[in-house]
Amino acid sequence: MLECAPNFRDLGGLIGDRGRRVRPGLVFRSDAVLRPTEADIAYLRECRIGVVMDLRSSSEAADDENEHFRENGAELFQLNVGTDVRAKGSFWEKLASDSSPQTVRDLLHSIYRSIPMAVAPALQIVFERIEAGSPPILIHCAAGKDRTGVAVALLLHALGSSMDGIMKDYLETQNRLTQASITRSTETLAAIVGEPLHPESLSLLSGVRRDFLKQSFSWMDRKYDGADGFLESCAGLTNQRKAAIRRALLEPE
């Protein structure tokens, strides 16, 4: 775990198609890597991350433009994904007008239904880079839980992971909440709303829930007859490319 980014983790070891595990050191997921310590920097150098998929909105990224990765020569993609209450826009406005627990849950369900389409361009780049023999890739947003959570869930689906395995990785974020990260969320969300949030609303916004991710997959079921149809139509995941990324990321049989 990075001190500056407690939700940073390697997808290595997760189970994909036919029980094969994801090879370590190839794809990482994280919250924003802000002000890394010396120990963090040493660890990140060992990871050799060469491609960074930044799923934050432009307004979020403006506060920290991934200076560590830029200075170390990584290829940076800033995708301006605004499907988060922390990104200034319509979701921010809805939260500011009503932050009651039920409204927050409804808002998060709406957000999760919108995330797959929002992260599709990033996934297409990820698939293309992996197929071409990319250096290690980092996928991250601000907290590494919603936008990153859905993007990584879809990558794992493409690798043949079961829904149980996908959900387990998604829910791991809940175990990585620290007092510092909760304090940051509390301050950020209070600034949006203009006052401290109801504790249940804050808990919903700071963490992850099984029903959140289910909203994304249910939406793809309705609109594209499942995640496979969505990934092919919206992220360019042909059968040929799917086979290529499985060869690249999964251990051999």
Side-chain angles (χ1 to χ4, degrees):
M1 180 186 295
L2 294 180
E3 184 177 338
C4 71
N7 210 8
F8 182 98
R9 57 192 192 265
D10 188 345
L11 298 191
L14 299 180
I15 298 174
D17 180 53
R18 289 178 287 181
R20 292 178 292 167
R21 294 185 180 275
V22 179
R23 294 163 56 202
L26 297 181
V27 182
F28 300 85
R29 58 172 295 174
S30 185
D31 39 350
V33 177
L34 307 176
R35 296 175 291 282
T37 65
E38 289 187 8
D40 291 339
I41 290 171
Y43 179 72
L44 287 168
R45 284 176 179 158
E46 292 179 4
C47 294
R48 301 177 296 106
I49 292 166
V51 175
V52 176
M53 307 301 301
D54 185 349
L55 305 183
R56 295 175 298 171
S57 68
S58 296
S59 61
E60 295 170 288
D63 295 331
D64 188 292
E65 298 181 345
N66 276 320
E67 293 178 4
H68 167 80
F69 297 110
R70 189 183 306 278
E71 291 171 357
N72 285 273
E75 184 179 19
L76 303 179
F77 293 91
Q78 209 285 305
L79 280 298
N80 190 25
V81 180
T83 50
D84 191 284
V85 294
R86 295 164 184 77
K88 292 182 179 178
S90 60
F91 294 121
W92 182 313
E93 293 164 2
K94 290 176 183 176
L95 180 62
S97 67
D98 184 355
S99 61
S100 64
Q102 185 56 54
T103 297
V104 166
R105 185 178 290 276
D106 291 344
L107 175 59
L108 285 164
H109 283 184
S110 174
I111 286 173
Y112 269 80
R113 290 192 294 271
S114 70
I115 291 177
M117 189 64 76
V119 300
L123 286 168
Q124 182 156 358
I125 295 170
V126 169
F127 296 149
E128 290 171 352
R129 287 295 189 278
I130 293 171
E131 185 179 26
S134 172
I137 295 173
L138 170 66
I139 302 171
H140 84 89
C141 55
K145 65 185 190 69
D146 301 322
R147 291 163 288 189
T148 297
V150 174
V152 170
L154 287 168
L155 173 58
L156 291 173
H157 179 86
L159 293 175
S161 298
S162 68
M163 194 63 217
D164 285 345
I166 290 168
M167 189 65 74
K168 183 178 180 180
D169 175 67
Y170 169 75
L171 293 174
E172 171 62 20
T173 288
Q174 196 69 26
N175 299 326
R176 292 170 175 263
L177 295 176
T178 64
Q179 188 55 53
S181 64
I182 293 172
T183 298
R184 283 197 301 271
S185 289
T186 301
E187 294 172 349
T188 299
L189 296 166
I192 294 172
V193 176
E195 61 183 12
L197 271 72
H198 185 285
E200 186 179 347
S201 295
L202 179 61
S203 177
L204 289 166
L205 288 161
S206 299
V208 291
R209 301 288 189 276
R210 187 178 298 270
D211 58 297
F212 296 171
L213 186 60
K214 284 184 175 180
Q215 290 291 321
S216 296
F217 280 83
S218 294
W219 178 84
M220 289 183 286
D221 287 342
R222 292 193 302 274
K223 297 292 185 180
Y224 292 91
D225 198 27
D228 288 327
F230 171 78
L231 288 170
E232 182 176 2
S233 297
C234 301
L237 188 65
T238 62
N239 287 334
Q240 180 179 348
R241 178 163 287 163
K242 183 189 296 183
I245 68 168
R246 289 182 179 185
R247 286 194 300 271
L249 295 187
L250 297 179
E251 294 176 344
E253 294 184 78

